[in-house]
């Protein structure tokens, strides 16, 4: 990857001169929208605000362009633009008032490696000099065959350097390099310096106000040992040790006084992920009082030095708590303005004077607002200006009980014209990915596109989903193709029994784990579905675990995690065959559409290729759409449009 991938644009892009002071006011008239309009990437995304609050930056994909734009809010003009046409951006934020950080990824070959690698790295863009620099470059001091090079764990007091972890070989052919912390100069990042020498098993580093490492996290996969070391004077003291196949705690930041680490771990009394402080003096774990009985602490808000200032809780819509009572009240007031909608905190200026929030739900396809202390809110942009509230199909929620009594929270996306007559509707069951994830109220482009064709879209949060407590999550362990699949079957039956769904017109559509669940539905409950769609889905679990072993090694905690999640540790050939859809192609009755990104490194392309061959061999009806240059998350504009059009057309053929 070279700096030529990202190019500063020196010519003015015409639409920017009319940028939203108010982009949303130019929304299209209330006309019927096409499938492509629902599936298109948002025009505006990844909005961030500078420390002073005077500038914003965002990704723009309007009119077939793909650029990062920097706007001066004070002067109401464009300051800079960067071409993104050859990479996939993941993150965008200001490190300082002058430096914009862009984290990107690219799947490509590296000399000396057989397979393509999914590389990620970070760039710094100096706004005053219109200059772009790659912060860490594989082969420049650091080990060439590595990804994950976009992480910044601290900023020097003079703001000239950032601290970034990477594997650094002792000599050119070192195949087991240490993971060190590097000091990278923003102005001149070539030949970065090793700031702190770690170990091959180092996981993370935490720094003090002077940029010195004060805590070092290690996970030894060979010994299954999780350790945390803290600096005490000139010595290092082990303050935490746990022998475990998979880490039991997540160290996410540091307290404002820098005397404790912030740890997320399960609270045995509530069954929820909770917020704890681990003393750097003795490792004692203290409950901080931010946990709830009805939600998990799922995210923390921190600055570049990883000092934590607040938390976000799980739920179909997010909720928050901040240490500063005034900030806590402000966020509560903002949320109250948008009831039953997801209000996402996307950025803040220094001192939290200005907040950037993103709102989505049954009335908003995605709006960005700036809330400043003592001032009325300002709507900055609409992510999808063509999609107004009249084009959004409402999102409802309910809970049913699975056959064993487990409550299954569920989201419904309801065709707008069927709100008053929800009887015997054609339906699409859409299980989420992960599987340790969950759906939220928001603008789900595929659910909206399907609802726009008249289908009730059902999204059950089956056992194994995160966000609903430890019992709900652990109930899914070892239940791939079994009780997790029963929950999906029970979701369909519940809506049939309520008279809402026509039993003769149900399809199942899913991506990633959801793609596996769709194929499992076709293999194990073939009479239930009229069609099956798998997007980047797993088909053969034996092959999946073999790939994880090749990628991480046989003693890595990631492999142990998947073996436990899929089969509760009994990952024998026989057990995995029983629940692998590719091994049961003869059972399929419904036609199948397989869609897969050729550059998917999360679920390899070979998974869908195997499923296609097995279905063809069994003489079943199957179609295969290969998405060129696409990765796992369908973040490329044109290939995502191909996918959404193919899915809707396929479902139409079998349910209309």
């Amino acid at each position: 990857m070279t700096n030529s991938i990202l190019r500063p644009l020196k010519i003015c892009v015409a639409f920017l001169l009319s940028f939203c002071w108010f982009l949303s006011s130019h929304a299209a008239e209330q006309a019927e929208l096409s499938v492509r309009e629902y599936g298109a990437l948002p025009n505006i995304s990844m909005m961030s605000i500078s420390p002073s609050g005077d500038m914003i930056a965002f990704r723009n994909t309007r009119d077939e362009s793909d650029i990062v734009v920097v706007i001066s809010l004070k002067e109401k003009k464009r300051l800079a633009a960067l071409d993104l046409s050859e990479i996939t951006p993941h993150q965008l934020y200001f490190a300082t008032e002058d430096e914009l950080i862009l984290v990107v990824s690219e799947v490509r070959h590296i000399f000396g490696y057989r397979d393509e690698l999914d590389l990620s790295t970070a760039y710094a863009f100096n706004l005053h000099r219109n200059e772009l620099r790659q912060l860490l470059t594989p082969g420049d001091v650091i080990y060439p065959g590595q990804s994950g090079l976009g992480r910044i764990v601290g900023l020097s007091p003079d703001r000239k350097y950032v601290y970034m972890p990477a594997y650094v070989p002792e000599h050119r052919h070192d195949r087991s390099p240490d993971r060190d912390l590097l000091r990278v100069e923003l102005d001149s990042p070539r030949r970065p310096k090793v700031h702190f020498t770690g170990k091959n098993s180092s996981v993370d580093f935490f720094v003090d106000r002077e940029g010195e490492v004060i805590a070092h996290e290690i996970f030894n996969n060979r010994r299954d040992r999780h350790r945390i070391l803290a600096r005490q004077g000139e010595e290092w003291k082990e303050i935490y040790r746990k022998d475990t196949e998979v880490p039991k705690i997540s160290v996410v930041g540091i307290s404002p006084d820098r005397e404790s680490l912030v740890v997320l771990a399960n609270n045995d009394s509530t069954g929820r992920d909770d917020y704890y402080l681990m003393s750097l003096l003795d490792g004692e774990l203290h409950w901080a009082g931010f946990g709830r009985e009805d939600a998990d602490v799922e995210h923390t808000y921190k600055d570049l030095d990883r000092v934590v200032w607040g938390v976000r809780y799980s739920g179909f819509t997010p909720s928050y708590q901040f240490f500063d009572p005034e900030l806590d009240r402000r966020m509560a007031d903002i949320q109250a303005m948008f009831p039953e909608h997801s209000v996402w905190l996307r950025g803040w200026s220094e001192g939290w004077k200005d907040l950037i929030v993103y709102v989505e739900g049954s009335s908003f396809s995605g709006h960005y607002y700036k809330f400043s202390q003592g001032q009325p809110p300002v709507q900055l942009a609409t992510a999808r200006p063509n999609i107004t509230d009249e084009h959004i199909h409402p999102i409802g929620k309910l809970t049913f009980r699975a056959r064993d009594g487990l409550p299954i929270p569920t989201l419904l996306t309801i065709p707008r014209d069927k709100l008053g007559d929800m009887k015997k509707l054609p339906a699409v069951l859409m299980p989420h990915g992960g599987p340790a994830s969950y759906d939220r109220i928001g603008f789900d482009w595929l659910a909206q596109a399907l609802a726009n064709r008249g289908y009730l879209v059902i999204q059950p949060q089956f056992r194994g989903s995160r966000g609903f407590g430890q019992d709900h999550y652990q109930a899914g362990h070892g239940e791939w193709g079994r009780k997790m699949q029963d929950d999906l079957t029970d979701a369909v039956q519940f809506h049939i029994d309520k008279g809402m769904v026509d039993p003769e017109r149900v399809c199942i559509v899913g991506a990633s784990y959801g793609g596996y669940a769709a194929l499992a539905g076709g293999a194990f409950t073939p009479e239930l579905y009229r069609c099956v769609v798998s997007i980047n889905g797993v088909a053969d679990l034996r092959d999946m675990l073999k790939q994880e072993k090749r990628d991480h090694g046989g003693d890595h905690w990631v492999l142990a995690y998947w073996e436990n999640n899929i089969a509760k540790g009994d990952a024998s050939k026989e057990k995995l065959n029983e629940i692998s859809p590719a091994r049961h192609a003869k059972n399929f009755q419904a036609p199948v559409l397989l869609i897969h990104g050729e550059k998917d490194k999360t679920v390899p392309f070979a998974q869908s290729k195997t499923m296609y061959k097995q279905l063809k061999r069994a003489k079943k009806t199957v179609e295969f759409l290969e998405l060129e240059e696409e990765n796992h998350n369908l973040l490329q504009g044109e290939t995502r449009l191909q996918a959404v059009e193919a899915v809707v057309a396929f479902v139409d053929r079998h349910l209309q």
Side-chain angles (χ1 to χ4, degrees):
M1 186 178 291
T2 66
N3 286 352
S4 62
I5 289 175
L6 288 170
R7 297 187 295 274
L9 301 182
K10 297 182 182 298
I11 59 174
C12 180
V13 182
F15 85 91
L16 291 174
L17 295 180
S18 60
F19 169 76
C20 256
W21 321 113
F22 294 96
L23 188 63
S24 59
S25 65
H26 301 292
E29 294 183 3
Q30 311 305 319
E32 183 70 22
L33 295 184
S34 68
V35 169
R36 289 177 68 87
E37 288 173 292
Y38 281 101
L41 292 176
N43 284 178
I44 305 291
S45 61
M46 300 184 184
M47 186 174 287
S48 179
I49 191 166
S50 68
S52 69
D54 292 341
M55 293 181 290
I56 56 171
F58 55 90
R59 181 188 184 190
N60 183 273
T61 57
R62 186 173 175 178
D63 299 330
E64 299 183 359
S65 64
D66 194 352
I67 56 179
V68 165
V69 181
V70 183
I71 297 286
S72 169
L73 296 175
K74 289 183 71 174
E75 300 174 24
K76 300 185 180 180
K77 70 176 186 180
R78 178 187 69 90
L79 299 178
L82 290 170
D83 180 16
L84 299 176
S85 57
E86 297 181 44
I87 51 88
T88 302
H90 289 295
Q91 218 178 350
L92 181 69
Y93 60 91
F94 287 88
T96 69
E97 196 68 14
D98 299 328
E99 299 283 354
L100 185 68
I101 303 295
L102 184 65
V103 183
V104 305
S105 72
E106 181 193 23
V107 177
R108 67 183 182 93
H109 283 288
I110 286 185
F111 180 76
Y113 292 85
R114 182 181 63 181
D115 297 326
E116 288 187 321
L117 300 176
D118 188 357
L119 301 174
S120 65
T121 192
Y123 289 86
F125 179 59
N126 187 282
L127 302 177
H128 289 301
R129 294 195 298 271
N130 200 39
E131 183 180 86
L132 188 73
R133 291 94 60 208
Q134 185 169 339
L135 293 179
L136 287 178
T137 302
D140 178 23
V141 175
I142 68 173
Y143 187 68
Q146 63 179 302
S147 188
L149 297 178
R151 288 186 63 220
I152 294 175
V153 304
L155 190 66
S156 66
D158 58 10
R159 302 197 168 196
K160 292 182 179 180
Y161 301 92
V162 291
Y163 304 109
M164 305 180 71
Y167 288 99
V168 180
E170 289 188 18
H171 50 82
R172 186 174 180 182
H173 300 293
D174 186 358
R175 290 290 175 178
S176 184
D178 288 334
R179 195 164 196 245
D180 298 337
L181 189 66
L182 292 106
R183 187 182 70 175
V184 185
E185 187 175 359
L186 288 170
D187 278 348
S188 182
R190 302 295 293 178
R191 306 299 297 171
K193 305 297 183 184
V194 173
H195 184 63
F196 180 86
T197 301
K199 301 176 180 293
N200 179 262
S201 52
S202 294
V203 174
D204 211 344
F205 309 91
F206 299 86
V207 299
D208 62 16
R209 291 181 179 87
E210 286 70 46
E212 296 302 319
V213 175
I214 56 174
H216 179 199
E217 183 182 8
I218 301 165
F219 190 90
N220 188 309
N221 286 287
R222 284 185 301 159
R223 296 183 178 181
D224 292 333
R225 180 167 294 166
H226 191 188
R227 303 168 64 215
I228 298 173
L229 307 179
R231 190 185 71 198
Q232 297 182 1
E234 298 299 318
E235 303 294 326
W236 286 88
K237 178 183 177 181
E238 182 181 87
I239 61 170
Y240 176 85
R241 175 186 288 215
K242 180 75 173 180
D243 291 334
T244 175
E245 279 192 319
V246 179
K248 301 298 184 185
I249 64 173
S250 179
V251 188
V252 297
I254 195 163
S255 61
D257 60 12
R258 299 183 192 257
E259 294 181 358
S260 301
L261 295 175
V262 174
V263 171
L264 301 187
N266 186 253
N267 185 325
D268 291 336
S269 64
T270 64
R272 293 288 187 169
D273 289 341
D274 210 332
Y275 183 104
Y276 296 89
L277 295 175
M278 178 182 287
S279 169
L280 287 171
L281 185 63
D282 56 15
E284 187 174 345
L285 215 57
H286 303 275
W287 182 63
F290 293 103
R292 285 172 30 183
E293 294 187 359
D294 62 340
D296 296 315
V297 176
E298 66 176 12
H299 183 75
T300 56
Y301 290 92
K302 46 189 174 281
D303 56 25
L304 268 186
D305 286 335
R306 304 171 80 191
V307 172
V308 178
W309 300 105
V311 302
R312 187 182 76 217
Y313 299 101
S314 64
F316 282 146
T317 59
S319 53
Y320 305 86
Q321 186 169 355
F322 291 90
F323 308 152
D324 178 5
E326 173 61 19
L327 178 58
D328 197 48
R329 183 194 61 77
R330 285 174 65 196
M331 271 307 298
D333 289 345
I334 292 170
Q335 286 193 281
M337 296 174 62
F338 308 99
E340 295 299 314
H341 283 69
S342 288
V343 179
W344 301 100
L345 177 61
R346 294 300 195 210
W348 57 91
S349 63
E350 199 165 359
W352 299 83
K353 177 184 175 183
D354 308 289
L355 308 179
I356 298 291
V357 301
Y358 180 73
V359 183
E360 58 180 343
S362 294
S363 299
F364 298 92
S365 62
H367 291 184
Y368 285 98
Y369 294 88
K370 181 166 77 79
F371 287 84
S372 301
Q373 285 178 316
Q375 298 178 26
V378 176
Q379 184 178 330
L380 294 175
T382 296
R384 301 172 178 85
N386 288 337
I387 301 178
T388 70
D389 60 342
E390 295 299 321
H391 298 122
I392 302 172
H393 299 278
I395 305 156
K397 54 188 179 181
L398 58 80
T399 298
F400 70 90
R401 290 193 176 273
R403 63 190 68 182
D404 63 357
L406 185 71
I408 307 295
T410 303
L411 289 180
L412 301 177
T413 304
I414 306 163
R416 179 174 283 273
D417 62 354
K418 300 298 183 183
L419 268 174
D421 186 28
M422 291 176 60
K423 296 178 182 177
K424 297 200 76 173
L425 298 178
V428 174
L429 186 74
M430 203 162 84
H432 61 71
S437 179
Y438 66 97
D439 296 300
R440 296 170 172 87
I441 290 175
F443 188 86
D444 185 319
W445 54 273
L446 186 53
Q448 288 290 325
L450 288 164
N452 198 53
R453 298 293 297 164
Y455 306 118
L456 177 67
V457 181
I458 306 169
Q459 294 174 285
Q461 312 309 299
F462 46 84
R463 70 193 68 206
S465 303
R466 283 283 194 186
F468 304 96
Q470 193 72 2
D471 290 346
H472 193 89
Y473 168 61
Q474 290 186 340
H477 288 183
E479 298 297 341
W480 284 46
R482 297 185 174 90
K483 290 183 180 180
M484 291 167 75
Q485 205 65 32
D486 290 344
D487 292 344
L488 301 180
T489 302
D490 294 348
V492 175
Q493 193 60 51
F494 172 84
H495 289 88
I496 290 172
D497 292 345
K498 292 295 182 181
M500 299 163 64
V501 168
D502 182 348
E504 300 301 318
R505 292 191 296 166
V506 181
C507 283
I508 184 168
V509 176
S512 194
Y513 172 84
Y516 164 82
L519 294 173
F524 306 134
T525 52
E527 70 289 343
L528 195 59
Y529 303 109
R530 301 285 75 77
C531 68
V532 173
V533 180
S534 170
I535 304 169
N536 294 341
V538 177
D540 190 312
L541 295 172
R542 284 171 57 194
D543 284 351
M544 172 189 165
L545 291 182
K546 286 178 184 176
Q547 184 65 47
E548 294 293 338
K549 187 174 183 178
R550 283 194 294 269
D551 289 346
H552 299 285
D555 54 7
H556 202 281
W557 70 264
V558 169
L559 185 64
Y561 167 83
W562 283 119
E563 288 179 344
N564 184 53
N565 193 277
I566 293 169
K568 222 165 190 176
D570 183 11
S572 64
K573 175 181 175 179
E574 293 73 24
K575 290 289 186 182
L576 295 176
N577 283 350
E578 286 177 12
I579 54 176
S580 292
R583 308 278 175 171
H584 300 274
K586 65 181 185 302
N587 293 350
F588 279 75
Q589 297 176 16
V592 177
L593 171 63
L594 302 169
I595 299 175
H596 216 115
E598 288 184 334
K599 291 186 178 294
D600 187 348
K601 295 301 175 184
T602 303
V603 176
F605 180 78
Q607 285 282 336
S608 287
K609 198 172 179 181
T610 296
M611 191 75 238
Y612 180 75
K613 288 180 179 178
Q614 294 300 323
L615 288 169
K616 277 293 189 183
R617 189 171 297 162
K619 296 183 171 19
K620 303 298 180 178
T621 302
V622 58
E623 300 174 28
F624 191 6
L625 174 61
E626 303 176 16
L627 302 179
E628 296 182 4
E629 301 299 315
E630 183 57 89
N631 60 22
H632 187 67
N633 297 311
L634 301 188
L635 295 177
Q636 309 293 335
E638 189 53 43
T639 45
R640 188 159 103 172
L641 292 176
Q642 291 176 23
V644 70
E645 287 186 314
V647 171
V648 172
F650 188 78
V651 172
D652 279 350
R653 286 204 304 274
H654 300 288
L655 292 190
Q656 294 284 17

